[in-house]
């Protein structure tokens, strides 16, 4: 197994483990009207980040041409959560272990995306900017719905 597939499998395993951990923390309310409150939808934020990691790792595994974009999108989304939390924009509901693991994976993914380590389609300036903007929008969506 080459390095690209090994890294993608490790990211996939971490993403699956975090997805299971985050989905078990979701509380489903009693009553119909509770499903229309912001508190219900904001608890899906950590799950959305781990699902982004799953997509990025799958694209890396198959060597898709949009791999670097999805790696950058996941990387910026995962890093913007603790950054926005520290800046006081919102209180992150990602647990500390999730923040640490996602931040390490995000830094790795950003390095892979910008260095074009596996000689996939190079990340353009527009795509890099778009990944930052989309990452910020995803974070703000789940925290300011």
């Amino acid at each position: 197994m080459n390095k690209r597939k090994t890294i993608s499998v490790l990211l996939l395993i971490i993403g699956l483990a975090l997805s299971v951990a985050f989905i078990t923390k979701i509380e489903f309310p009693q009553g119909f009207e509770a499903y229309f409150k912001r508190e219900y939808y904001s608890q899906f934020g950590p799950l959305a980040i781990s699902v982004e990691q799953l997509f990025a790792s799958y694209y890396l595994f198959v060597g898709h041409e949009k791999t670097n974009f999805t790696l950058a999108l996941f990387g910026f989304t995962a890093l913007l959560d603790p950054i926005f939390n520290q800046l006081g924009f919102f209180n992150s509901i990602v647990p500390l272990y999730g923040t640490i693991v996602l931040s390490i994976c995000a830094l790795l993914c950003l390095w892979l995306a910008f260095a074009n380590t596996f000689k996939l389609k190079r990340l353009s300036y527009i795509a890099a900017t778009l990944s930052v903007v989309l990452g910020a929008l995803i974070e703000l969506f789940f925290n300011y719905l």
Side-chain angles (χ1 to χ4, degrees), residues 68-70 72 76 113-114 116 120-125 127-128 131:
N68 287 334
F69 176 74
T70 56
F76 285 123
F114 284 102
N116 197 17
L120 300 167
K121 184 178 177 187
R122 195 155 190 82
L123 192 63
S124 69
Y125 292 116
S131 65

Side-chain angles (χ1 to χ4, degrees), residues 12-130:
L12 187 69
I13 291 169
I14 292 169
L16 281 172
L18 288 175
S19 294
V20 169
F22 294 152
I23 205 163
T24 57
K25 298 221 181 237
I26 293 175
E27 295 178 10
F28 295 99
Q30 299 291 329
F32 186 69
E33 61 193 36
Y35 285 98
F36 296 104
K37 293 186 179 178
R38 186 176 83 77
E39 294 82 22
Y40 173 69
Y41 292 104
S42 66
Q43 63 184 341
F44 287 95
L47 181 62
I49 297 171
S50 62
V51 168
E52 280 184 32
Q53 182 178 0
L54 291 174
F55 280 113
S57 61
Y58 171 73
Y59 274 17
L60 183 61
F61 185 80
V62 297
H64 195 272
E65 67 178 17
K66 298 291 183 184
T67 298
N68 287 334
F69 176 74
T70 56
L71 288 171
L73 178 62
F74 160 69
F76 285 123
T77 306
L79 285 179
L80 284 174
D81 187 71
I83 290 172
F84 285 169
N85 185 30
Q86 288 298 314
L87 292 176
F89 291 150
F90 55 80
N91 291 326
S92 176
I93 62 167
V94 179
L96 181 61
Y97 69 88
T99 302
I100 293 169
V101 172
L102 286 172
S103 295
I104 292 169
C105 291
L107 290 173
L108 172 68
C109 288
L110 285 174
W111 178 71
L112 292 173
F114 284 102
N116 197 17
T117 307
F118 299 115
K119 307 296 185 244
L120 300 167
K121 184 178 177 187
R122 195 155 190 82
L123 192 63
S124 69
Y125 292 116
I126 294 171
T129 305
L130 186 62

